[in-house]
Amino acid sequence: MEFPLRQGMLVAHTAAMTSPRFVQVYREDSAGLRHELAQGLLGRPATVSPKFLYDALGSRLFDAITELPEYYPTRTERAIFEAHAPAIGALAGRGRTLIDLGAGNCEKAARLFDVLAPLRYVAVDISVDYLRQALASLQRQHPAIEMIGVGADFSASLTLPPEAGRGERLLFYPGSSIGNFTPQDALQFLRQARALGGAGGALLIGIDLIKPKPVLELAYDDPLRVTAAFNLNLLRRLNALLGCDARIEDFEHVALFNEAESRIEMHLQARRALTLRWPGGERPLAAGERIHTENSYKYSVAGFEQLLRDAGFARTAHWTDERGWFAVFLAS
Ligand SMILES: C[S@@+](CC[C@H](N)C(=O)[O-])C[C@H]1O[C@@H](n2cnc3c(N)ncnc32)[C@H](O)[C@@H]1O
């Protein structure tokens, strides 16, 4: 009697470790999303949240951007992690639940598995299909780590389903994704991250630093036009989610550094006067009028340290590259 039971348990255990659990909170077919998109388009100026840049194609285009010579953030952040892995590992602690916010292809977290030895890996992303694929492949490479995928939109509120488990948490938010929030919303997000980490929790976060304007603008407007494709993909998303009639050829990608606000802005600029139409609404655009699609705020080390303190993090450490282009902070 005992043998078949043991065998069954073994099979169940192995199955859990070869395919991650997935919890889908975010659904693309909601009336709430359509309302959010329509309200943004009707604004002055018209805006669309950068979270809509990411569907399966958008995520692949972002991955391609990270390969471009002009896009320094990914490789600079990677070099910082590689150079300071022992120190980061010693401060961040081993055996925690690693929560990857906006995990994308999960590659950055996976590179830290050796040094962090996470007990559990929770990958959260709005690009649900892409995350499912990336996580399934990662689980096959690391069958000993429990993995949970969470398809969620954390822009309004940062919460996790119970499946994410408890225990000591290390929140991971790389790639300077926090730059998509205004500093005020970033403060709010950091406060929520601190609460989500709980007692003994920590946050490992990557921040793009202020640097000369030409370097910044080239990173967001590469000659191969991959970033342009990434931005223009948003029009396909508007058509799919809202039933809009946008034509890609009617728009061009614009990226500029707004020094007063310390942010890169991405826009879609109308090449001619046109009207966007969708069920229940329309938005005329003059020739040259723009839809604002992304902000990417750039910080100084001192400025971001202050933001962490304002959010209630008592202890912080940070590491930068030789040029001072990017910083990784550990806050607890
Ligand atoms: C700039 S990419 C960074 C990807 C990866 N973490 C990296 O550092 O290379 C931002 C990631 O966050 C995800 N994302 C953007 N907005 C989100 C939101 N509101 N909720 C959840 N995920 C979001 C995107 O799908 C994308 O994978």
Side-chain angles (χ1 to χ4, degrees):
M1 287 293 288
E2 211 178 84
F3 180 63
L5 184 63
R6 278 213 183 127
Q7 204 178 33
M9 283 167 71
L10 183 67
V11 167
H13 177 75
T14 310
M17 293 303 197
T18 50
S19 55
R21 267 188 293 165
F22 205 93
V23 185
Q24 187 164 343
V25 183
Y26 174 76
R27 304 234 165 249
E28 285 200 331
D29 53 2
S30 81
L33 280 190
R34 286 193 293 279
H35 179 74
E36 184 181 347
L37 282 168
Q39 286 306 106
L41 285 177
L42 293 171
R44 306 259 160 203
T47 56
V48 178
S49 163
K51 70 187 181 190
F52 293 108
L53 290 165
Y54 297 93
D55 60 348
L57 176 58
S59 294
R60 286 191 176 87
L61 288 168
F62 177 75
D63 285 350
I65 289 171
T66 67
E67 301 287 329
L68 295 168
E70 295 81 11
Y71 194 78
Y72 61 85
T74 306
R75 75 179 62 85
T76 311
E77 186 182 42
R78 186 187 305 149
I80 297 172
F81 282 132
E82 280 169 6
H84 302 285
I88 293 172
L91 281 175
R94 293 169 72 83
R96 293 184 176 221
T97 295
L98 178 62
I99 299 172
D100 193 352
L101 301 170
N105 61 17
C106 306
E107 221 180 274
K108 284 185 186 166
R111 284 173 185 270
L112 292 172
F113 282 175
D114 275 353
V115 72
L116 297 176
L119 186 72
R120 186 183 297 122
Y121 174 57
V122 181
V124 187
D125 207 290
I126 198 169
S127 189
V128 178
D129 293 340
Y130 189 72
L131 178 63
R132 270 184 198 279
Q133 272 186 24
L135 197 64
S137 147
L138 192 66
Q139 179 77 86
R140 283 193 292 276
Q141 293 164 47
H142 298 274
I145 301 175
E146 181 189 1
M147 294 191 185
I148 295 148
V150 181
D153 170 8
F154 51 60
S155 56
S157 120
L158 181 59
T159 50
L160 284 176
E163 288 84 348
R166 295 235 52 90
E168 287 214 321
R169 288 174 165 177
L170 174 63
L171 272 65
F172 184 48
Y173 199 30
S176 204
S177 292
I178 196 153
N180 292 156
F181 292 112
T182 63
Q184 209 175 0
D185 289 345
L187 177 62
Q188 213 38 46
F189 186 87
L190 290 172
R191 287 195 172 125
Q192 293 181 59
R194 191 173 60 85
L196 197 68
L203 169 70
L204 185 60
I205 184 166
I207 300 299
D208 199 10
L209 300 176
I210 299 164
K211 61 184 62 58
K213 188 174 163 139
V215 180
L216 285 167
E217 290 189 339
L218 202 58
Y220 291 82
D221 195 6
D222 56 284
L224 202 54
R225 320 273 312 138
V226 183
T227 315
F230 174 67
N231 196 11
L232 288 160
N233 180 48
L234 197 68
L235 298 167
R236 288 179 57 257
R237 305 278 291 136
L238 280 180
N239 293 351
L241 295 172
L242 189 60
C244 194
D245 61 353
R247 287 161 25 113
I248 289 173
E249 54 274 32
D250 285 340
F251 289 86
E252 67 184 310
H253 165 70
V254 174
L256 53 94
F257 185 55
N258 178 336
E259 277 174 272
E261 298 285 348
S262 192
R263 69 185 188 205
I264 280 280
E265 296 178 4
M266 292 207 315
H267 301 264
L268 290 168
Q269 181 169 301
R271 291 180 188 272
R272 59 176 183 85
L274 56 90
T275 299
L276 291 178
R277 293 191 173 82
W278 60 91
E282 62 176 40
R283 171 64 150 93
L285 290 169
E289 198 174 346
R290 293 169 177 172
I291 305 173
H292 191 163
T293 56
E294 189 182 88
N295 287 323
S296 183
Y297 282 83
K298 309 301 169 188
Y299 288 91
S300 64
V301 165
F304 195 74
E305 216 158 32
Q306 187 57 50
L307 204 61
L308 286 170
R309 295 212 187 284
D310 292 347
F313 288 99
R315 272 173 301 153
T316 63
H318 73 270
W319 300 266
T320 59
D321 57 295
E322 280 169 5
R323 292 181 295 196
W325 278 10
F326 203 92
V328 169
F329 285 80
L330 184 73
S332 54

